[in-house]
Amino acid sequence: MSLDDLEKKFTEFADDMEKRFNDFTQKLENEFFSKKTETEKLQQIHKPPPKGRDAAFWGIVLVVVGVILLGNHFRWFYLDVPLIPAALVILGAYLIMENRQR
């Protein structure tokens, strides 16, 4: 590798870094001097969590399944029915019926 090749590569590297720096500063200027309000900027970054019944539904399902598993472990339930498959069948039927109503 000759000195001319090394100098050429260094010049290309410096030009590439200068271009990247200019792009970065341009993005920063656009971000700081844009006419968006703080609320609009935050809404762009953070999407609101799901609201309503869907968010609460899965939490309730997890609590119910957890209570069933805990009760089965401590022998609170004296049933010969396998509880997890039965709970999944009931949940599936409920979801199917709910989707038919929409």
Side-chain angles (χ1 to χ4, degrees), residues 22-97:
N22 288 337
D23 290 343
F24 179 72
T25 55
Q26 184 66 32
K27 286 179 184 177
L28 281 178
E29 286 177 7
N30 289 342
E31 182 69 28
F32 285 118
F33 296 115
S34 68
K35 297 185 180 190
K36 293 180 182 177
T37 64
E38 287 297 318
T39 306
E40 290 173 336
K41 289 179 186 178
L42 288 175
Q43 285 175 347
Q44 252 183 344
I45 295 171
H46 303 291
K47 300 213 183 281
K51 295 180 181 178
R53 191 181 60 82
D54 292 336
F57 174 76
W58 288 111
I60 292 169
V61 167
L62 289 174
V63 168
V64 168
V65 170
V67 167
I68 290 172
L69 286 173
L70 187 65
N72 192 27
H73 178 74
F74 285 118
R75 309 267 182 212
W76 293 345
F77 308 117
Y78 294 108
L79 301 174
D80 291 333
V81 177
L83 294 177
I84 298 302
L88 292 176
V89 168
I90 292 169
L91 175 65
Y94 171 75
L95 291 174
I96 290 170
M97 296 305 274

Side-chain angles (χ1 to χ4, degrees), residues 10-23:
F10 181 74
T11 305
E12 288 173 0
F13 176 74
D15 290 342
D16 184 48
M17 290 304 291
E18 184 178 357
K19 181 180 178 236
R20 287 183 182 186
F21 180 74
N22 288 337
D23 290 343

